Amino acid sequence: MTNISNFKLIAHRGLLRGPSKEKENNLELLKNNIINYPFMINEVDIWIDKKIYLGHEESNHFIDPDFLIENSKNLILHIKHINSNNVDSIKYLDLLHNNCHFYSHDTDDFTVTNRGWIWSHPRLGVVPNTICVMPETFISIYSDEFSSKLKLLSGVCTDFPIKLMKKNNINF
């Protein structure tokens, strides 16, 4: 059994058992994850405009900023879009900056969250001391090779956090 005290297990878009357009960035799923997996962090995509919305490709569902703040220890926000022409957007960005963990990026090799976590782009593979994003896109997360590299990482953001945890006997 592996006890990785500082390791961050992150559910990409709140997904636990694989990709699903219907389930990703879903408020009910996030609530369920927070209750059932309090040690896990949920990465969620948000759009900031006159309000804050959940969504990957577009702003689909309104989310109350109070939910984001109250559950900030279980969330990391991926800011997908900010409407810079709306004064409310900047107010929301300031509110999130003071109360939540977030990052934004496009095609950068690396990005740094507002709390100092280094995220690496999947095309880079396993980069020590970073959050490895979507390793399943370049290596089998069930392989012994990947298991041996876990200890090099600060964390993993994946669509398969439950399987990753079970395969590697990760205990939080």
Side-chain angles (χ1 to χ4, degrees):
M1 185 178 323
T2 304
N3 185 353
I4 306 176
S5 59
N6 293 320
F7 186 83
K8 292 123 182 113
L9 184 61
I10 304 164
H12 182 243
R13 300 180 190 156
L15 298 169
L16 299 176
R17 293 179 174 83
S20 170
K21 292 287 184 192
E22 296 78 37
K23 293 180 181 179
E24 68 182 23
N25 298 304
N26 178 287
L27 182 57
E28 292 308 312
L29 180 65
L30 294 172
K31 289 177 181 178
N32 186 55
N33 290 357
I34 290 167
I35 291 167
N36 293 311
Y37 304 98
F39 55 86
M40 194 177 305
I41 300 165
N42 295 274
E43 183 262 2
V44 294
D45 299 328
I46 65 166
W47 294 56
I48 305 174
D49 204 322
K50 292 178 184 176
K51 295 183 179 183
I52 300 176
Y53 300 90
L54 293 174
H56 176 66
E57 306 278 331
E58 57 188 32
S59 54
N60 293 333
H61 304 286
F62 165 75
I63 186 161
D64 189 328
D66 289 340
F67 174 83
L68 299 175
I69 293 167
E70 290 165 9
N71 295 284
S72 63
K73 73 175 188 162
N74 294 95
L75 300 172
I76 184 164
L77 312 177
H78 180 179
I79 299 174
K80 301 295 282 185
H81 174 78
I82 301 172
N83 180 350
S84 60
N85 295 318
N86 184 307
V87 68
D88 291 333
S89 296
I90 305 306
K91 289 179 184 176
Y92 280 128
L93 182 60
D94 188 50
L95 177 71
L96 296 177
H97 179 265
N98 291 321
N99 295 287
C100 297
H101 192 181
F102 68 88
Y103 69 98
S104 183
H105 78 104
D106 190 12
T107 59
D108 319 357
D109 285 347
F110 298 96
T111 192
V112 180
T113 72
N114 67 322
R115 295 194 181 155
W117 296 3
I118 302 169
W119 286 59
S120 61
H121 196 283
R123 71 175 166 265
L124 299 177
V126 174
V127 179
N129 302 313
T130 68
I131 304 294
C132 183
V133 179
M134 303 297 291
E136 59 269 20
T137 63
F138 60 85
I139 190 171
S140 170
I141 60 172
Y142 311 110
S143 70
D144 291 338
E145 178 188 1
F146 185 67
S147 294
S148 70
K149 293 180 179 185
L150 275 178
K151 63 183 173 286
L152 303 174
L153 298 168
S154 296
V156 173
C157 180
T158 178
D159 285 342
F160 300 93
I162 301 298
K163 289 183 180 180
L164 181 69
M165 197 171 67
K166 288 180 181 177
K167 158 68 172 114
N168 293 284
N169 292 322
I170 298 173
N171 187 7
F172 289 89

